[in-house]
Amino acid sequence: MAKINMPPAVGAQGKNTTGHHYTTATGFSEVRLLAIGQWGRIHSGLGLSLKMTRKHGPCPGCGGNDRFRLAHDYPEHGRWLCGGGGDLQVGDGFALLGHVFGWSAAEQLAAVKRVLGIDTGLTATGRQVLRYKAEAYRRDMAAKAKAKDEAIQRDSDLLGATMDLDDAIRHRQYLSRQNNETLPPYGAELQAAQHLNSLLLEAYGGLM
Ligand SMILES: [Zn+2]
């Protein structure tokens, strides 16, 4: 199971057109080479502890139970797979920082350089920008996951209540046939109908 801690502050000097603080003194191609075989250390250095197992588990970025796994070349290239949201996503060690912390490519690069001890010309402001961004992104992802869980629970409750009512109606129809007369709705059926009604109002009442 993936374990998340808040990433330590990272960042760099200078500003690009999108307003992110970073430096491009050492680019992706060089850093990608320097990072080969270092991804376990890099990710744990950024607060992301991943067990090297081929089994599927929860995604450190988008949650779930069994949508995420590390690829066989994770130690070398940091590669991973996530089936979150139905679309399979694959990426390298840099991309995982985007998936989990919401960092841009430039921010991913700055973070990896910092862990590898490559000079990024860090400023306190740049470090804060990245830290705040990661924290906000994680809160957002957690809120989305919670809303999804609640929606799944609500649908499951509604389905259950609908089936209860259906059972009660069928039971009365069965008794009616046995007795050769049309029996009126009885206690359990009315209770099931009321329960379904209250769940429907709870789920959709606010939309009317
Ligand atoms: Zn994911």
Side-chain angles (χ1 to χ4, degrees):
M1 178 158 163
K3 183 169 158 285
I4 303 257
N5 296 312
M6 276 329 293
V10 283
Q13 208 161 32
K15 259 189 167 195
N16 67 4
T17 49
T18 58
H20 296 302
H21 299 256
Y22 76 109
T23 174
T24 52
T26 310
F28 261 110
S29 49
E30 292 107 313
V31 177
R32 188 171 280 120
L33 281 175
L34 292 168
I36 290 175
Q38 306 287 326
W39 282 104
R41 178 166 82 85
I42 293 168
H43 285 152
S44 67
L46 292 167
L48 194 55
S49 299
L50 302 166
K51 275 221 183 75
M52 188 57 210
T53 162
R54 301 297 299 281
K55 272 174 40 183
H56 286 78
C59 175
C62 59
N65 293 315
D66 56 359
R67 62 178 62 172
F68 182 87
R69 75 174 174 85
L70 299 176
H72 66 92
D73 60 350
Y74 171 78
E76 292 77 39
H77 303 293
R79 227 176 294 280
W80 52 280
L81 302 88
C82 175
D87 297 323
L88 180 66
Q89 298 178 68
V90 294
D92 63 6
F94 291 100
L96 185 60
L97 299 175
H99 191 59
V100 175
F101 297 132
W103 288 340
S104 69
E107 289 166 339
Q108 296 158 21
L109 180 63
V112 171
K113 282 165 81 168
R114 182 171 174 272
V115 177
L116 291 177
I118 301 166
D119 180 30
T120 55
L122 291 171
T123 65
T125 308
R127 285 196 292 273
Q128 268 187 357
V129 165
L130 241 59
R131 182 198 282 267
Y132 287 165
K133 185 166 178 176
E135 284 171 356
Y137 186 80
R138 291 223 51 81
R139 274 198 302 275
D140 190 43
M141 294 292 270
K144 276 188 185 139
K146 186 163 174 273
K148 200 173 168 194
D149 284 350
E150 284 170 358
I152 289 170
Q153 183 62 51
R154 189 195 64 204
D155 289 350
S156 150
D157 288 349
L158 275 173
L159 188 62
T162 305
M163 285 163 74
D164 286 347
L165 177 59
D166 193 49
D167 282 349
I169 292 171
R170 279 170 198 276
H171 185 63
R172 174 164 57 86
Q173 287 170 338
Y174 169 77
L175 291 177
S176 294
R177 278 197 301 276
Q178 296 286 308
N179 291 288
N180 256 328
E181 60 172 316
T182 306
L183 299 172
Y186 59 110
E189 186 179 335
L190 294 173
Q191 269 176 21
Q194 273 168 357
H195 184 225
L196 176 60
N197 191 42
S198 70
L199 286 177
L200 281 169
L201 279 174
E202 211 175 286
Y204 299 109
L207 304 175
M208 293 172 194

